[in-house]
Amino acid sequence: MTQRGTNSRYLEFQYSQPDRLRIRRETHAQFSDRSGDGFLLWTLSHLAAEQGDLVLDAGCGPGIYHPFLQERGVRVVAIDYSLGMVRAAAESASELSLDVHACRARIESLPLADGSCDRAMANHMLYHVPDIKTALLELRRVLKPGGRVVMATASRDYCRIWQDLHDAAARKLGYQPARSVVARFSPDHIELVREVFPSAEVFEFEDAFRFPAAEPALRYYASAMVDGIENAPPDGRHRGPLISEMEKSLRRIIQREGELVIPKSSALFVADK
């Protein structure tokens, strides 16, 4: 059975429009210990792109890295499986006059020549890819000798508290919770990465959500995690009851502890060709 996080129909639902992704980005920006653009700038410091470089942004989403890359004087080729994300990235590039060429493509079959890119990124997207090894080989193929790739993902215990609360709520309502998709590509997969990029290293970015009230936490939960059950009803009737159960749990924690703190550290694979 295809896992929810790699199912093409579910991914199209999640990313056909930027609204659900925007909710998650806004929540990270407003309720993180390390708020602002710190993670993006930290990632780009490891990418170490130089003026004139051609940078591949695989799984570009709406293009949140692109303004920062423009400041470094680089050119960007942005690809995403979702046509909605490609459109959002292209519209943003047009509005900001960025040197970005956005197109729809799969990372397992990149529309680029061998050795054509100086740098490549695949951030928080490889756990959605059905064939991760092929994706890694494609990233290596399009890199120039001496080129660098960075691949951000979640840490081993990313949002574990949240996941445990969701699993308990799902079982209470008679649903089977699904395995978290981020487990498909975590720091534990360093040996897989080194099969393709022997020089790969892993770096950690420690962070946590800190919610003073349940509402913003529920908004984030409803944007994606609520669908983390096996054989989710296509009409979405599971969402209301799950959100209600999660609200009760979150309010109890906040009433008891004064706030809801959820560790959410990220990891970054960095490798040179």
Side-chain angles (χ1 to χ4, degrees), residues 19 49 61 66 76 120 128 189 224 228 253 255:
D19 294 349
H66 300 168
V76 178
H128 289 305
H189 294 85
I253 293 172
Q255 184 176 17

Side-chain angles (χ1 to χ4, degrees), residues 102-136:
C103 64
R104 188 182 190 189
R106 289 183 178 273
I107 191 173
E108 302 101 317
S109 182
L110 292 169
L112 296 166
D114 295 359
S116 56
C117 299
D118 299 282
R119 297 287 189 269
M121 303 190 303
N123 294 328
H124 289 106
M125 59 83 66
L126 282 166
Y127 38 67
H128 289 305
V129 176
D131 189 341
I132 296 172
K133 178 72 173 290
T134 294
L136 294 172

